Amino acid sequence: MELGSILDFLDNKTILVTGATGFLAKIFVEKILRVQPNVKKLYLLVRATDAKSALQRFNTEAVAKELFKILKEKHGTNLQSFLSEKVTPVAGDITNENLGVTDSNLVEEMWRNVDVVVNVAATTNFDERYDVALALNTFGAKNVLNFAAKCVKIKLLLHVSTAYVSGEKPGLILETPYKLGEALNGAKGLDINVEKKIIEEKLKELSSDETATAKSITLSMKDLGIQRANKFGWPNTYVFTKALGEMIIGHLKGDIPLVILRPTIITSTYKEPFPGWIEGIRTIDSLAIGYGKGRLSCFLGDPESVIDAIPADMVVNAMITTIAAHASQPCEIIYHVGSSVSNPLKYKGIQKSGYHYFSKHPWINKDGKAVIVSEVKVLNSMESFRRYFSLRYLLPLQALHFVNSALCHAFNGTYMDLKRKINFVLRVVELYKPYLFSKSFYDDMNTEKLRQVVRENGVEANMFYFDPKLIDWDYYFVKIHIPGAVKHVFK
């Protein structure tokens, strides 16, 4: 693998980015514009009804964010003219042919000029409706590939997936592709078109049911996704449909150079454009914030298990580096971008960091009083969780059910509300169980080779860093990540 100057590669290039208002895509766009202002054009696909709405979304959901403050300082009053020259927000939707772009002149323009396509568009909801997830994560990926194939100057398709396409498989997970129809559990009959037909038949069945509500249809489609994922060995709809997306583009890519990037849990920025920028509260963050607010009476998870996390700016740097390294080279290569092999982070380390941070910087509640945190009970197995949950919640629920029945359903509202909350918690725990008790380690041999090439590159190594060995996890969580998550909550 040879790698020249990354900045020289980006010079005068045209890049199409899907999912452009998402967390990772915005950091990618900001980085390109900041470090290589001579990039020719960034076409940013945004879900919107027209060009005006797409521009408005880009301005309000990206440019207006603190993420762009360095660019604002750099360009001052010229920022808008710079952006109007370099950035074209495009109204579209990857679930449709030609990415849902209705302006035929714009489609032709992109086909003539685009050098690189970066697909970041996805639904990352573990509990998504199956029809939505399959349309976006699987057939959406296919539509992006088809669009890239029509770009006459195409040098690379970069598809951002997830390391968790490997499901709950323990041990060392290799950077290898999945073949079309390959089920994790060896089950036969995995066919993407059959899955689409099953969805169509289910929706037809639900629409003919006069008692079905919008809410019950959504729940049925969520349940269908979990059932289909479990049938073939995947723990949830998200990773199942992302795996199917990888399969279909790997199968149909033809001569297009293809890089599949599989990040693990993406956390706040480590260093650029500044430390601690985050958007949306993720798994680790919701645990930390819940703990700081005094709402967690226990932690669920194996304290010794490794939580594979990686800061967002390191993922973006890896994305940009893979583009420069593999453009115009026939390939299908997979990169794990994570930390479990190079710099493991243990679950107990996150708990300890949370205690350190909130002990020194207590959460102030609505009454203006500081929440005093303590080291909470750790439930290190599903068995201990079930015992704890049964004693604390299920037995009181059964008692309330008895009292409610005896008193002619006088407490019906209270009983149903508590039952809903308990069912929600049980569903969430089931969804996240594979990650709380993970025994997987994501091999990053390909990524390490890429890091080595960047180090040899010298001057740009500090600009395009993505080595997790740089991270002191306790410092990162106490000084960077948790403060960033807390700041986001208060916005």
Side-chain angles (χ1 to χ4, degrees):
M1 185 198 312
E2 291 183 8
L3 178 66
S5 166
I6 298 171
L7 291 179
D8 286 353
F9 174 81
L10 293 172
D11 188 11
N12 204 37
K13 291 298 187 297
T14 297
I15 304 172
L16 167 62
V17 184
T18 70
T21 55
F23 172 61
L24 196 63
K26 283 188 284 200
I27 300 173
F28 176 85
V29 168
E30 190 277 341
K31 175 86 177 194
I32 298 275
L33 294 172
R34 176 163 46 83
V35 302
Q36 184 44 289
N38 292 324
V39 66
K40 186 175 183 181
K41 177 74 75 176
L42 298 179
Y43 290 105
L44 306 182
L45 194 77
V46 177
R47 273 191 166 186
T49 51
D50 53 37
K52 185 180 177 182
S53 303
L55 178 61
Q56 187 176 8
R57 271 200 75 187
F58 173 64
N59 283 329
T60 55
E61 296 181 33
V63 181
K65 300 292 183 181
E66 189 184 16
L67 175 69
F68 278 70
K69 75 175 185 180
I70 308 297
L71 265 180
K72 289 169 191 168
E73 290 166 5
K74 183 178 178 180
H75 292 277
T77 55
N78 296 321
L79 178 65
Q80 280 305 324
S81 61
F82 171 71
L83 291 176
S84 62
E85 179 192 348
K86 300 294 179 181
V87 175
T88 300
V90 177
D93 185 337
I94 68 163
T95 61
N96 298 315
E97 189 181 355
N98 288 343
L99 309 183
V101 183
T102 55
D103 183 338
S104 58
N105 291 328
L106 181 56
V107 170
E108 294 283 351
E109 180 187 313
M110 289 192 286
W111 285 345
R112 281 196 309 273
N113 296 314
V114 166
D115 297 293
V116 176
V117 176
V118 180
N119 183 33
V120 201
T123 172
T124 57
N125 183 357
F126 283 13
D127 199 21
E128 185 61 89
R129 285 178 56 136
Y130 191 31
D131 51 337
V132 173
L134 196 78
L136 265 168
N137 296 344
T138 304
F139 286 99
K142 181 184 177 184
N143 292 336
V144 173
L145 174 71
N146 289 341
F147 192 90
K150 294 174 185 174
C151 297
V152 294
K153 293 168 63 181
I154 192 70
K155 294 171 178 63
L156 185 88
L157 168 60
L158 171 61
H159 176 74
V160 179
S161 185
T162 171
Y164 300 105
V165 290
S166 61
E168 299 176 77
K169 184 182 173 185
L172 190 66
I173 309 301
L174 302 179
E175 294 163 299
T176 51
Y178 291 102
K179 294 184 177 71
L180 193 68
E182 180 185 352
L184 282 185
N185 59 7
K188 304 294 183 186
L190 176 55
D191 184 311
I192 291 165
N193 292 315
V194 169
E195 295 306 306
K196 187 178 181 183
K197 198 168 184 179
I198 286 168
I199 286 172
E200 289 167 355
E201 288 171 358
K202 185 67 175 179
L203 286 170
K204 188 177 178 182
E205 175 196 318
L206 290 167
S207 64
S208 64
D209 182 356
E210 294 178 3
T211 63
T213 63
K215 194 173 180 180
S216 68
I217 290 171
T218 293
L219 190 60
S220 292
M221 294 312 294
K222 285 183 175 185
D223 287 342
L224 178 63
I226 298 290
Q227 288 162 17
R228 299 305 296 174
N230 291 168
K231 177 180 171 64
F232 296 106
W234 279 271
N236 58 62
T237 308
Y238 165 56
V239 295
F240 177 46
T241 53
K242 288 296 281 185
L244 295 179
E246 281 194 20
M247 289 178 195
I248 201 166
I249 61 172
H251 182 69
L252 298 174
K253 79 175 193 68
D255 296 330
I256 296 175
L258 171 66
V259 170
I260 295 175
L261 198 93
R262 293 177 182 165
T264 53
I265 297 170
I266 302 174
T267 54
S268 63
T269 53
Y270 173 69
K271 189 163 67 173
E272 289 187 12
F274 52 87
W277 191 77
I278 193 167
E279 189 172 63
I281 296 301
R282 286 159 170 74
T283 322
I284 294 174
D285 317 321
S286 57
L287 285 172
I289 298 299
Y291 172 66
K293 287 181 175 181
R295 292 180 182 171
L296 279 188
S297 55
C298 65
F299 275 120
L300 174 62
D302 180 359
E304 295 299 324
S305 69
V306 170
I307 302 290
D308 200 317
I310 190 77
D313 49 338
M314 290 194 177
V315 178
V316 162
N317 288 336
M319 289 167 66
I320 296 170
T321 305
T322 61
I323 291 170
H326 295 289
S328 303
Q329 297 177 20
C331 67
E332 179 186 353
I333 190 162
I334 291 167
Y335 287 101
H336 281 153
V337 184
S339 59
S340 56
V341 170
S342 299
N343 187 10
L345 164 67
K346 289 195 174 180
Y347 189 36
K348 66 182 180 184
I350 301 174
Q351 296 164 5
K352 182 180 164 189
S353 297
Y355 177 69
H356 283 170
Y357 177 80
F358 287 110
S359 294
K360 292 178 182 175
H361 311 280
W363 190 278
I364 306 301
N365 64 22
K366 290 178 182 177
D367 299 327
K369 295 177 181 177
V371 176
I372 307 301
V373 295
S374 58
E375 295 194 36
V376 299
K377 182 179 179 63
V378 176
L379 305 172
N380 60 8
S381 68
M382 284 304 292
E383 290 72 25
S384 60
F385 166 75
R386 290 187 186 101
R387 285 196 301 271
Y388 176 84
F389 201 78
S390 180
L391 287 169
R392 189 166 178 128
Y393 298 104
L394 295 180
L395 288 177
L397 181 69
Q398 289 170 5
L400 182 60
H401 176 64
F402 176 76
V403 171
N404 189 41
S405 300
L407 296 177
C408 303
H409 302 281
F411 294 101
N412 224 28
T414 307
Y415 171 73
M416 293 307 294
D417 185 49
L418 184 58
K419 188 177 181 182
R420 267 194 302 270
K421 286 177 180 175
I422 286 172
N423 287 338
F424 173 75
V425 169
L426 291 172
R427 188 182 184 95
V428 168
V429 165
E430 204 57 42
L431 282 170
Y432 285 98
K433 178 181 70 175
Y435 312 103
L436 297 170
F437 300 95
S438 175
K439 302 294 181 190
S440 304
F441 298 86
Y442 298 93
D443 175 48
D444 59 352
M445 187 76 75
N446 290 343
T447 311
E448 180 53 37
K449 288 176 185 172
L450 192 67
R451 285 193 287 260
Q452 185 59 42
V453 173
V454 174
R455 283 193 285 268
E456 291 168 1
N457 209 9
V459 67
E460 291 180 351
N462 290 330
M463 186 181 290
F464 297 102
Y465 55 91
F466 54 99
D467 189 348
K469 291 190 287 290
L470 296 170
I471 305 167
D472 176 328
W473 285 117
D474 188 53
Y475 180 90
Y476 170 73
F477 275 99
V478 174
K479 299 291 186 181
I480 298 174
H481 183 71
I482 298 175
V486 169
K487 183 179 180 181
H488 176 73
V489 169
F490 280 110
K491 278 184 182 178

